Every structure is written in C-alpha cells, then in structure tokens.
Amino acid sequence: ETGVTQSPTHLIKTRGQQVTLRCSSQSGHNTVSWYQQALGQGPQFIFQYYREEENGRGNFPPRFSGLQFPNYSSELNVNALELDDSALYLCASSDDRRRSGNTIYFGEGSWLTVV
Amino acid sequence: QKEVEQNSGPLSVPEGAIASLNCTYSDRGSQSFFWYRQYSGKSPELIMFIYSNGDKEDGRFTAQLNKASQYVSLLIRDSQPSDSATYLCAVRSGGGADGLTFGKGTHLIIQP
C-alpha cells in the first residue's frame, strides 16, 4: 500500500467526451504528478503539481489539464477524448521538500477505455 | 529528447540465480534513478532509488549507478518465481519538475 488512492478504477468513455480522474496523495506529500501508460509502454509524464500550481509538463496537448487542491489531492481532466487516450492513468505523489533522492509512489491507476 | 533504453526481453533466469537488468539514459543532467516492478495489470511498485555513483543494496536487490557511462543496473539475488514481472527503469533531472522519464521495461521470467 502506497497511500495513494485513485478513482475510478475502470471507466469507458465515448470519443469526444470528457473525463475527470481523481487522486489522493500520500499523507505529507506535497507534490502530485500524472502519467499515462499505454499497453506495452513505460509510463509517460503528463504534468506535475506543487502547491496547487502546475510546475512541470510533458509532451501532452492542452486538452489534458489538472488541478491540485489545498489538501494536495488532484484531478486530471481530459477533453475531447480520442481513441489513443485509452490507457492506464497513474497518479504519483512525492515530498519535494526533500532532496533529489525522494521517493515517488504510484497509486493503483485508472483504466480508461475510449470507444 | 530524454531517452531511457531497456532491453524489452523476455529475460529468462532460473530460480535461485542472479537476474541482471540494465538501463541506459541519454540526459547527463539526470540526478535520480529509480527501479519499479510492475506485475501484469497492476501499477508500478517502487523497488529502490539511487542517486550516487556506486552500489546500493536493499535485501535481495542491488542497484548500481555509473553516471560517467550513463548506465544503471538492478541485480536480483536468489531470484524467486514471484520476481517474474516487468521492471521499469526511470530517471529524473535534479530540478524534479520534469517528472520521471521511463524506459519501456524489461520482462523478467523466473523459471522454477
């Protein structure tokens, strides 16, 4: 158990729809990041939030957006869903007040299928 | 473009032997290095991280880092069938805001 919880576990959406995924970070962790993992691939960094602001972003279009709340929980929103958005979406939390050797823990993930 | 390269495998190792997993990375600015284990259908589980050159041991696992060669490895001693999984190597720059860059993973099979 990493203490990082995600919801929903599985969901199916239709192309063009919008989806919101949620994450509660491990207690005391102030940084949350989101990753997309397609089948057979390693996770790809979407973006990171620290103190409620996005402070890092990977190579994902603006239709991928997020929020972090004062309790450090977070949401990932994806608009105008495409078939290629079908993947496992992973939330990770860390405490970036520590030095570069901090630990980064993943939640169980949300499986998104776009049909 | 930051890249992390791993041999996709499968790597087959007899039970009780040492499994050796390798990873190379392209960004010389990388500061932190992570190994994750991922069982089929599950999320990645952190095994260990390393950020100094040399070896770091934790139980049956040893991570080795050589920044000059841009090379990270993971050794698993006394391999067990339960070690059969995909092992993901990930690196992170010193600033931390770039997130982790992952390889595609090595599929490890421990043969009973």
Side-chain angles (χ1 to χ4, degrees), chain A residues 48-56 68:
Chain A
Q48 177 174 285
Y49 277 81
Y50 173 68
R51 292 187 175 181
E52 303 175 52
E53 291 197 1
E54 183 182 302
N55 73 337
Q68 185 183 28

Side-chain angles (χ1 to χ4, degrees), chain A residues 17-19 21 34-37 44-49 54 56-67 75-90 112 114:
Chain A
Q17 285 188 315
Q18 178 264 345
V19 67
L21 307 178
W34 287 89
Y35 292 79
Q36 179 196 68
Q37 187 176 22
Q44 287 197 305
F45 175 63
I46 302 175
F47 47 56
Q48 177 174 285
Y49 277 81
E54 183 182 302
R57 190 176 185 93
N59 189 26
F60 280 81
R63 61 188 184 86
F64 286 78
S65 63
L67 287 171
E75 289 182 353
L76 164 65
N77 298 289
V78 187
N79 294 320
L81 285 166
E82 301 176 359
L83 297 180
D84 285 348
D85 295 333
S86 297
L88 175 65
Y89 287 85
L90 296 160
L112 172 65
V114 182

Side-chain angles (χ1 to χ4, degrees), chain A residues 3-112:
Chain A
V4 181
T5 58
Q6 293 186 240
S7 63
T9 306
H10 294 82
L11 70 167
I12 300 173
K13 290 286 188 177
T14 303
R15 189 171 51 183
Q17 285 188 315
Q18 178 264 345
V19 67
T20 297
L21 307 178
R22 295 178 174 83
C23 172
S24 294
S25 59
Q26 185 180 105
S27 177
H29 281 187
N30 59 1
T31 300
V32 66
S33 51
W34 287 89
Y35 292 79
Q36 179 196 68
Q37 187 176 22
L39 207 59
Q41 303 295 315
Q44 287 197 305
F45 175 63
I46 302 175
F47 47 56
Q48 177 174 285
Y49 277 81
Y50 173 68
R51 292 187 175 181
E52 303 175 52
E53 291 197 1
E54 183 182 302
N55 73 337
R57 190 176 185 93
N59 189 26
F60 280 81
R63 61 188 184 86
F64 286 78
S65 63
L67 287 171
Q68 185 183 28
F69 301 99
N71 66 354
Y72 303 140
S73 65
S74 177
E75 289 182 353
L76 164 65
N77 298 289
V78 187
N79 294 320
L81 285 166
E82 301 176 359
L83 297 180
D84 285 348
D85 295 333
S86 297
L88 175 65
Y89 287 85
L90 296 160
C91 172
S93 78
S94 59
D95 182 356
D96 277 359
R97 288 166 291 196
R98 299 178 59 185
R99 299 293 295 277
S100 60
N102 59 9
T103 49
I104 301 172
Y105 296 104
F106 285 92
E108 292 301 311
S110 294
W111 290 93
L112 172 65

